[in-house]
Amino acid sequence: MITFDRVKPLTNYLFKQKVANKTIGLVPTMGALHRGHFSLIAASQKKNDITVCSIYVNPTQFNRASDLKKYPRNLDKDKRQLRSLGCDVLFCPSDKEMYPQPTELKFDFGSLASHMEGKHRPGHFSGVAIVVAKLFHQVKPHRAYFGQKDLQQYIIIQQMVNDFGFDLTLEQIPIIREDDGLALSSRNQRLTKKQRQVAPRLYEGLRLAASQLKQDGDIPKARKTFRKHLKKFKEIELEYFQIVNADNLQPIKACENKKVALCMAAYLGKVRLIDNLVIIC
Ligand code: AMP
């Protein structure tokens, strides 16, 4: 694996690979890698000659300084794991390299970002779009890999790719879970033992609401089922739960045989977790 922390040597290297007709897959991450990230790497390796994994904790997408400060970082371990997976290129730039000057750019994704993550983390998607656009320019991948875990992020990046005409294909990879159902997340390592025990209840609630929805298509009832379930666990503080059209993430009033996403965010102590479940109902 070749590691770059500067843009210029990375682009020079990748230019040579493209001249040699190699295809490039990009997996953008913030590090503290887990099996969820590894499934993106594996998907990229399957379809591309060269897989580039980026590790960068992007300050412009954090709306709270304390969250940025506490975000888990473990570059040495990440490097070892990427090497053993056979990842070809690691790009781990500094803040100065990614933002040689403070950015004044702001993205507004309108109705795509006005609810769920966009509502509760003001400016988050603007920061995500800035850093992903930079990575797309730097790497110029043929394909870029993102997880369903961050469904709203995926939809917003898809919008950005279409708006700017980035010449690449986006691939969405399913959520990898622990055996007890908890979606893997770098933030899970910040959970206390008790919080970790309770955390799988989030997915349990999503499954309960989903099976309710499949039975009778009653959206308010499914919402109630989910909230009632989580209320039983005092460690969980629900931030939002929404049932939306899975393709454009707009709230829906009826199921009508559509692909529907049940999306939630909740706090366990100071740790904020998100999860979702996509069904046809
Ligand atoms: P992050 O490092 O949290 O920014 O995540 C980097 C990429 O990995 C994003 O596209 C996430 O959606 C994806 N990802 C994170 N957790 C999972 C998971 N449990 N399963 C699949 N993909 C994931």
Side-chain angles (χ1 to χ4, degrees):
M1 183 172 77
I2 312 176
T3 301
F4 296 96
D5 54 11
R6 309 294 300 261
V7 174
K8 201 82 202 142
L10 172 81
T11 52
N12 286 344
Y13 173 80
L14 291 175
F15 179 74
K16 283 185 207 139
Q17 302 304 316
K18 276 175 220 151
V19 168
N21 271 330
K22 306 268 193 213
T23 54
I24 316 279
L26 171 65
V27 180
T29 81
M30 297 205 296
L33 302 179
H34 50 65
R35 284 186 293 115
H37 298 114
F38 300 159
S39 72
L40 272 62
I41 303 267
S44 170
Q45 288 173 323
K46 225 172 175 181
K47 278 203 189 165
N48 303 282
D49 299 312
I50 306 271
T51 291
V52 180
C53 176
S54 64
I55 296 185
Y56 180 60
V57 183
N58 171 38
T60 64
Q61 73 187 69
F62 285 82
N63 54 313
R64 288 191 315 163
S66 62
D67 194 23
L68 171 62
K69 201 169 154 208
K70 281 190 207 135
Y71 198 84
R73 293 164 169 87
N74 203 340
L75 191 56
D76 288 340
K77 187 174 170 207
D78 289 347
K79 275 186 187 169
R80 281 198 301 276
Q81 288 179 304
L82 287 173
R83 218 171 272 128
S84 75
L85 289 172
C87 181
D88 303 288
V89 176
L90 167 63
F91 179 46
C92 46
S94 63
D95 286 340
K96 191 117 205 294
E97 190 68 9
M98 279 311 251
Y99 294 97
Q101 58 183 31
T103 184
E104 293 291 337
L105 207 57
K106 291 273 179 290
F107 282 101
D108 181 349
F109 289 96
S111 65
L112 291 181
S114 61
H115 61 326
M116 303 200 293
E117 293 303 289
K119 179 174 169 192
H120 293 279
R121 303 184 68 187
H124 170 66
F125 286 124
S126 177
V128 168
I130 291 168
V131 81
V132 172
K134 280 175 183 276
L135 287 166
F136 284 174
H137 281 302
Q138 292 158 348
V139 175
K140 295 187 179 57
H142 297 85
R143 298 183 188 85
Y145 294 79
F146 293 88
Q148 182 202 318
K149 165 96 183 342
D150 298 272
L151 187 58
Q152 197 172 12
Q153 168 177 282
Y154 181 84
I155 301 284
I156 280 170
I157 290 170
Q158 194 173 51
Q159 178 79 32
M160 183 183 79
V161 165
N162 292 338
D163 283 347
F164 284 137
F166 278 109
D167 186 15
L168 55 85
T169 305
L170 284 185
E171 306 259 351
Q172 191 190 96
I173 306 301
I175 301 175
I176 305 294
R177 299 180 180 280
E178 301 282 8
D179 288 345
D180 59 15
L182 176 65
L184 294 193
S185 162
S186 306
R187 291 188 158 94
N188 292 353
Q189 50 181 279
R190 290 180 49 214
L191 296 171
T192 64
K193 208 170 160 197
K194 179 70 197 159
Q195 289 164 349
R196 175 63 190 80
Q197 268 170 9
V198 176
R201 303 299 187 171
L202 303 174
Y203 182 53
E204 194 175 69
L206 288 177
R207 283 210 327 268
L208 278 173
S211 69
Q212 171 101 68
L213 210 51
K214 277 187 185 163
Q215 260 173 40
D216 57 17
D218 187 333
I219 288 175
K221 200 164 141 197
R223 232 182 259 138
K224 229 174 169 175
T225 300
F226 183 80
R227 288 180 181 275
K228 203 171 148 200
H229 180 69
L230 288 200
K231 265 211 173 117
K232 291 186 225 156
F233 309 101
K234 63 173 182 359
E235 293 83 1
I236 298 176
E237 192 192 324
L238 183 64
E239 188 172 62
Y240 68 77
F241 172 63
Q242 287 207 3
I243 298 173
V244 295
N245 178 320
D247 294 323
N248 57 22
L249 297 193
Q250 296 313 299
I252 51 165
K253 291 211 168 79
C255 283
E256 293 162 352
N257 230 357
K258 280 192 203 112
K259 223 167 97 189
V260 162
L262 295 83
C263 304
M264 52 116 324
Y267 279 92
L268 283 92
K270 291 212 160 78
V271 185
R272 185 174 184 277
L273 298 181
I274 60 171
D275 200 353
N276 68 76
L277 183 56
V278 175
I279 57 166
I280 306 281
C281 88

